[in-house]
């Protein structure tokens, strides 16, 4: 028997011997379910992951262990560590802004440690923490919730999904917004928001499955290390609606949105809630978000070129029998080979450039998504304010229609008494018809705008929509802010304020950020195109080839013949130190290659020139965007100044017009005023009323356009937003004079 035959004979027993310890070590794995965010509900997914990892050998059985027992893994001593809770930094989140009393909800065994870990941050924010242990019985003490401003929720592995939903419904009914510190899936069950450092449970499960598989086969598992956080917080829109909480634009634009944003009870809708509904449920914006998520894979595709490439090859070959016979066993007549090839890219300038360019383009797309979100918020704000304007105009036109009916009825009575002629009655009839037409037109315009706005909000077009009128005297609309009044009163302050706004807009604009990322991507691509002329591409290839089968003429060398006489001679030669080659040997090779194209039909030069032209195009777009942004901002600020002043002027004009109309009606009834003068007075009163009704919403429209130019979410402003808008106005010296 030759050497190859001996090897093949012992391969199977050898493999069985090597695999036997792994088979024998596969046994039950006991794991404490309280160390998993979902408790025992995580076990099916963990078992499935272990089944995939243990392909070709028995899968270990995963069973629940009593609390404190089970397998020991480095980094799995506790589900929530003080470091992970401190990293969550929950007290800067929106639901806890201004809170004074916060309830911490969790299992009795871990609650005290969590409160101690968060106590320092709570004291720094002036917040008092109250512990509320929740056991398996779900006994929630209402006294703890009474007076609570918010709740922090730890992982609840001892409660199933239904029990958690009941708990969170209790919090919502008590009007307490809640934040999930560890398990973001609690947001799907009713929690308002998850911490930005909430655990990525799927990545954590994969990491844990790898360590459990190491334990199953007897390997020493690596420490679990840092817990993987989710890339963004989760926000439950249904919970926000039930709590009447309006998330900020910043939170809506970066959070993963759960559930549907519903209108508040009664159908009353404020501008901030309308913007939140649009950002949450607008299908066009949802498509844009999904497009960004899809194109984000371009970064992974670009980086994949630097990952190993492993593949298998199989080759079958047949040659003529004469050549096979003369090859002395090295080239048989029929031969099948299998090859495993490992390729690793060591250096490639285009691959490096593709990674950087994909990252820049992803940032640009996300900035463009923010721009699209702001544009949608501005469009919703415009429609919302137009709806308010139409409601105010309808009230004016209804009053005008009632007056036209009264004048027509008075004219008919006067005609019956012989005081006026038929011509005056006809003129009042014509005025009544025109007043009715104007009223019906504004009603139709409102209905069309309501349908369009419902569509932007992702609601049924037939749903009623009752907008809430903003109070312009409140500080959130600048009406009660002394700094804004000072800007309006002095031209020098206004000019300096404009300059500050322009500088802030050019610094923080999402449009310019997107163009900047595009410019940097084009610069990196141009550098790569230029380097492509002299930088080679370097790679490594490792190849292993084995024979699967051989047959026909020349399948073995003459000295491998089983004839005893031949084997006796071969043995004598080997004892004498003469080595005869063995057929069917495996082959391996490792090689490094460098490739530098010398000429590719001029394609590289064309790509370089095209990239340079694209870079110049982006630079021009950036310059044009800067000019356009400054022009829009200055125009919006001037319109805001003029519109704010028009409010008082138009209110005064309306009051005078209404007074003149009242006097004209008395004079006409007494016969001291002509019908034409009465109609002119009514027309003036109607136009003044419509102007006064529109002035308020024109001022707000100018304000939301100014907010949009600054990259702010249109709508009522918090103190921080007003500080940003009016930054530095109290430092501008007053030089006297009225603007």
């Amino acid at each position: 028997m030759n050497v190859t035959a001996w090897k093949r004979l012992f391969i199977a027993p050898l493999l069985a011997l090597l695999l036997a310890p792994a088979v024998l070590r596969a046994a039950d794995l006991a794991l404490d379910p309280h160390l998993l965010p979902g408790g025992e509900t995580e076990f099916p997914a963990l078992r499935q992951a272990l089944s995939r990892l243990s392909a070709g050998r028995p899968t270990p059985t995963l069973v629940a262990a009593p609390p404190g027992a089970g397998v020991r893994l480095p980094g799995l001593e506790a589900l929530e560590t003080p470091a992970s809770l401190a990293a969550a930094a929950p007290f800067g989140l929106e639901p806890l802004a201004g809170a004074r009393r916060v309830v911490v909800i969790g299992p009795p065994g871990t609650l005290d440690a969590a409160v101690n870990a968060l106590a320092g941050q709570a004291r720094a924010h002036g917040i008092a923490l109250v512990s509320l242990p929740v056991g398996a019985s779900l006994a929630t003490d209402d006294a703890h919730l009474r007076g609570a401003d918010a709740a922090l929720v730890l992982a609840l592995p001892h409660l199933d999904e239904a029990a958690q939903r009941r708990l969170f419904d209790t919090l919502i009914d008590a009007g307490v917004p809640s934040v999930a510190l560890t398990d973001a899936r609690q947001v799907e069950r009713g929690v308002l928001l998850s911490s930005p450092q909430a655990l990525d449970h799927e990545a954590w499960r994969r990491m844990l499955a790898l360590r459990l598989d190491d334990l199953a086969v007897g390997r020493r598992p690596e420490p679990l290390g840092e817990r993987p956080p989710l890339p963004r917080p989760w926000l439950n829109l249904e919970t926000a609606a039930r709590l009447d909480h309006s998330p900020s634009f910043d939170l809506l634009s970066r959070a993963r949105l759960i559930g549907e944003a519903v209108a508040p009870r009664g159908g009353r809708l404020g501008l901030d809630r309308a913007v939140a509904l649009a950002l949450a449920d607008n299908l066009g914006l949802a498509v844009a978000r999904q497009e960004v998520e899809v194109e984000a894979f371009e970064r992974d595709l670009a980086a994949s070129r630097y990952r190993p490439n492993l593949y298998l090859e199989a080759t079958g070959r047949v040659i003529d029998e004469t050549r096979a016979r003369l090859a002395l066993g090295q080239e048989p007549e029929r031969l099948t080979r299998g090859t495993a090839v490992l390729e690793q890219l060591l250096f490639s300038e285009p691959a490096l450039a593709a990674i950087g360019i994909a990252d820049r383009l992803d940032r640009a797309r996300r900035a463009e998504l923010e721009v699209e979100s702001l544009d949608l918020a501005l469009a919703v704000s415009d429609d919302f304010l137009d709806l308010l304007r139409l409601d105010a105009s309808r009230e004016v036109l209804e009053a005008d229609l009632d007056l036209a009916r009264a004048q027509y009825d008075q004219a008919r009575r006067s005609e019956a008494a012989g005081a006026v002629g038929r011509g005056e009655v006809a003129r009042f009839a014509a005025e009544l018809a025109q007043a009715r037409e104007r009223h019906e037109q504004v009603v139709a315009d409102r209905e069309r705008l309501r349908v369009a706005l419902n569509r932007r909000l992702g609601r049924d077009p037939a749903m009623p929509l009752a907008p809430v009128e903003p109070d312009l005297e409140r500080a959130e609309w600048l009406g009660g802010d002394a700094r804004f009044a000072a800007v309006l009163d002095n031209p020098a302050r206004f000019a300096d304020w404009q300059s500050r706004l322009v500088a802030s807009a050019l610094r923080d604009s999402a449009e310019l950020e997107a163009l900047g990322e595009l410019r940097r991507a084009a610069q990196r691509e141009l550098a790569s195109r230029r380097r492509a002329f002299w930088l080679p591409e370097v790679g490594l290839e490792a190849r292993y080839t084995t024979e699967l089968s051989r047959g026909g003429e020349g399948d073995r060398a003459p000295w491998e013949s089983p004839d005893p006489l031949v084997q006796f001679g071969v043995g004598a030669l080997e004892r004498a130190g003469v080595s005869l080659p063995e057929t069917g040997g495996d082959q391996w090779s490792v090689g490094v290659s460098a490739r530098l194209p010398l000429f590719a039909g001029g394609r590289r030069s064309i790509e370089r020139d095209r990239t340079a032209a694209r870079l110049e195009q982006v630079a021009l777009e950036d310059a044009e965007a800067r000019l356009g942004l400054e022009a829009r901002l200055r125009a919006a600020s001037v319109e805001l100044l003029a519109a704010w002043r028009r409010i008082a002027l138009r209110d005064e004009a309306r009051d005078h017009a209404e007074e003149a109309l009242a006097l004209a009606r008395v004079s006409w009834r007494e016969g001291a005023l002509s019908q034409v003068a009465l109609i002119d007075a009514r027309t003036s009163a109607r136009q003044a009323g419509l102007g006064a009704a529109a002035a308020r919403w024109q001022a707000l429209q100018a304000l939301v356009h100014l907010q949009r130019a600054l990259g702010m979410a249109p709508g009522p402003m918090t103190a921080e937003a007003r500080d940003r808008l009016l930054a530095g106005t109290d430092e501008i010296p007053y030089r006297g004079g009225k603007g």
Side-chain angles (χ1 to χ4, degrees), residues 176-219:
V176 179
S178 51
V179 176
L181 291 176
T182 302
D183 190 359
R185 291 171 298 180
Q186 293 173 340
V187 177
E188 297 175 332
R189 300 160 191 167
V191 169
L192 175 64
L193 181 70
S194 71
S195 162
Q197 294 296 318
L199 183 67
D200 186 344
H201 56 276
E202 293 185 356
W204 180 251
R205 187 193 303 137
R206 289 193 296 268
M207 294 171 60
L208 181 59
L210 288 172
R211 274 66 176 182
L212 292 175
D213 184 68
D214 289 340
L215 285 176
V217 298
R219 291 191 296 264

Side-chain angles (χ1 to χ4, degrees), residues 200-528:
D200 186 344
H201 56 276
E202 293 185 356
W204 180 251
R205 187 193 303 137
R206 289 193 296 268
M207 294 171 60
L208 181 59
L210 288 172
R211 274 66 176 182
L212 292 175
D213 184 68
D214 289 340
L215 285 176
V217 298
R219 291 191 296 264
R220 182 177 181 180
E222 297 180 358
L224 282 166
E226 295 185 0
R227 300 171 181 240
L230 288 169
R232 53 181 177 167
W234 292 13
L235 173 64
N236 193 315
L237 295 172
E238 293 179 357
T239 301
R242 291 177 60 186
L243 292 170
D244 199 20
H245 174 74
S246 298
S248 68
F249 169 79
D250 178 66
L251 180 59
L252 288 168
S253 61
R254 61 186 172 85
R256 176 186 172 185
L257 304 178
I258 306 297
E260 298 180 356
V262 296
R265 296 180 180 90
R268 303 292 290 174
L269 192 67
L271 178 55
D272 51 348
R273 177 56 59 84
V275 170
L277 284 170
L279 294 176
D281 290 340
N282 185 270
L283 290 178
L285 191 59
V287 171
R289 286 196 186 103
Q290 187 62 28
E291 183 179 357
V292 170
E293 296 298 329
V294 170
E295 294 184 358
F297 288 100
E298 294 293 335
R299 294 180 301 171
D300 297 333
L301 288 175
S304 66
R305 288 202 60 190
Y306 268 97
R307 299 191 186 105
N309 186 15
L310 179 64
Y311 59 92
L312 299 176
E313 292 180 353
T315 305
R317 188 177 59 180
V318 178
I319 62 176
D320 62 277
E321 60 182 17
T322 302
R323 177 184 171 187
R325 191 179 303 110
L326 296 176
L328 300 178
Q330 302 305 306
E331 295 289 341
E333 183 179 358
R334 294 184 300 275
L335 177 64
T336 303
R337 287 181 174 178
T339 305
V341 182
L342 174 66
E343 295 178 344
Q344 175 63 58
L345 182 65
L346 299 180
F347 174 79
S348 173
E349 170 58 27
L352 288 175
I355 295 173
I357 292 170
D359 185 62
R360 296 294 184 185
L361 292 179
D362 180 72
R363 295 180 186 178
R365 285 190 291 266
R366 296 187 183 277
E368 290 170 352
L369 177 61
E370 182 179 352
V371 172
E372 190 169 347
S373 301
L374 286 170
D375 289 340
L376 175 62
L378 177 62
V380 170
S381 300
D382 275 338
D383 289 348
F384 186 89
L385 295 175
D386 281 338
L387 201 63
L388 288 172
R389 178 184 58 81
L390 290 174
D391 284 342
S393 299
R394 183 179 60 183
E395 293 178 3
V396 173
L397 293 176
E398 285 175 351
D400 181 69
L401 179 58
D402 293 339
L403 182 57
R405 287 196 183 100
Q407 290 177 348
Y408 174 68
D409 294 338
Q410 179 66 32
R412 290 183 62 185
R413 288 193 296 270
S414 298
E415 180 191 17
V420 299
R422 180 61 186 170
E424 289 194 18
V425 176
R427 179 65 184 272
F428 280 123
E431 284 293 318
L432 177 59
Q434 292 174 3
R436 187 177 297 161
E437 178 188 358
R438 286 189 292 269
H439 179 265
E440 291 179 356
Q441 182 63 48
V442 76
V443 170
D445 290 343
R446 189 197 187 280
E447 285 301 301
R448 284 197 298 269
L449 187 58
R450 180 185 61 81
V451 172
L453 186 54
N454 273 332
R455 180 181 178 276
R456 289 186 187 274
L457 301 182
R459 307 198 316 167
D460 186 351
M463 288 184 65
L465 202 159
V468 178
E469 295 185 5
D471 184 1
L472 296 187
E473 301 301 323
R474 295 176 62 89
E476 60 189 12
W477 295 107
L478 300 182
D481 199 308
R483 294 172 296 177
F484 181 63
V487 169
L488 293 179
D489 289 341
N490 183 263
R493 288 178 181 268
F494 181 74
D496 291 338
W497 179 54
Q498 270 192 332
S499 301
R500 291 173 182 266
L501 290 181
V502 170
S504 175
L506 294 179
R507 182 181 63 250
D508 302 328
S509 170
E511 295 97 325
L512 298 182
E513 180 185 354
L515 288 171
E517 295 294 345
L518 291 176
R519 184 177 64 252
R520 285 184 281 272
Q523 290 171 343
R524 182 65 182 90
E525 184 179 2
L526 180 59
S528 176

